[in-house]
Amino acid sequence: MLRIGLTGGIAAGKSVVARRLAELGAVVIDHDALAREVVEPGTVGLEEVVAAFGDGVLTADGALDRPALGRLVFDDAAARARLEGILHPEIRRIAAEREALAGAADDRAVVVHDIPLLVETGQADHFHLLVVVHAPAEQRVARLVGGRGLDDGAARARVAAQATDEERTAVADVVLDGTGTEDGLREQVDALWQRLCREVEQEAEGEASRA
């Protein structure tokens, strides 16, 4: 099994890469989706969030009120760290379970962990290969404004809340260029996939010869 960490700044094109890898046959574990899953009604995660931040982070029907929670933690580093201390262990536990299932089903699986804050959370050395999708901060701000309807200030705040471009590329094993078209980015993914398949095959042959 080959374990890949995938990350990139907001609006760099990471979602395009993740979708294409899934189409090609990778097992993609979306940590953003897991972050929502671990605070669904009835979960220990939601109970701990409410214990830490109060009933004001719940909607009338008992679900997590994400905007309310966001207002509490966005500009408060201590509150954000408290929230991360609740969510991250649960996210990693479920991600490890799903990775194990993928490996049990196919020992040559390529498992991609799609993690927006991979660098920020100190996971850069947790994978066989770290793939970073890169586009300059100014271009990503423009995409957030033009494509997602954010105003300039909100877009810049979201970009600034993440690691810098330099911090991400410094730890990358592979950098994909997200500055161009989606078709161009998918072509880069296709080339990377061919490389990954060769590496998995070589590793399997090596294990067979050692057996």
Side-chain angles (χ1 to χ4, degrees), residues 70-81:
R71 288 191 292 272
L72 291 177
V73 305
F74 188 77
D75 290 322
D76 186 333
R80 191 161 59 249

Side-chain angles (χ1 to χ4, degrees), residues 21 23 31 39 70 82 91 109 113 115-116 136 143 174 179 193 207 211:
L21 285 168
E23 290 169 358
H31 285 231
V39 289
R82 189 159 67 251
I91 293 168
H113 290 263
I115 309 176
R143 287 175 175 174
V174 174
T179 61
W193 182 252
E207 290 180 357

Side-chain angles (χ1 to χ4, degrees), residues 5-191:
L6 172 64
T7 194
I10 186 170
K14 180 177 61 62
S15 296
V16 173
V17 173
R19 283 196 300 270
R20 184 56 181 159
L21 285 168
E23 290 169 358
L24 291 168
V27 176
V28 177
I29 300 173
D30 182 343
H31 285 231
D32 255 358
L34 295 186
R36 295 187 290 274
E37 185 176 323
V38 300
V39 289
E40 289 178 349
T43 61
V44 172
L46 182 56
E47 291 177 3
E48 293 183 355
V49 169
V50 173
F53 297 99
D55 291 340
V57 298
L58 291 176
T59 63
D61 60 359
L64 181 64
D65 186 334
R66 296 181 185 281
L69 180 60
R71 288 191 292 272
L72 291 177
V73 305
F74 188 77
D75 290 322
D76 186 333
R80 191 161 59 249
R82 189 159 67 251
L83 177 62
E84 290 169 353
I86 296 168
L87 300 184
H88 290 173
E90 280 296 290
I91 293 168
R92 291 174 186 174
R93 178 183 64 80
I94 297 175
E97 290 175 353
R98 296 191 181 171
E99 178 184 289
L101 287 172
D106 180 3
D107 61 5
R108 299 188 183 187
V110 176
V111 179
V112 177
H113 290 263
D114 178 354
I115 309 176
L117 300 181
L118 185 153
V119 174
E120 293 87 337
T121 52
Q123 300 179 71
D125 60 351
H126 292 187
F127 303 95
H128 296 131
L129 196 74
L130 179 56
V131 178
V132 170
V133 187
H134 171 70
E138 286 299 322
Q139 183 175 16
R140 292 188 285 115
V141 168
R143 287 175 175 174
L144 290 170
V145 172
R148 303 193 192 179
L150 274 67
D151 63 41
D152 186 76
R156 292 185 183 280
R158 293 199 181 187
V159 169
Q162 296 184 329
T164 66
D165 295 336
E166 293 75 17
E167 287 168 337
R168 274 187 295 268
T169 57
V171 296
D173 297 303
V174 174
V175 177
L176 300 178
D177 182 0
T179 61
T181 65
E182 290 190 4
D183 284 344
L185 186 52
R186 282 190 287 267
E187 288 175 2
Q188 295 176 63
V189 177
D190 290 352

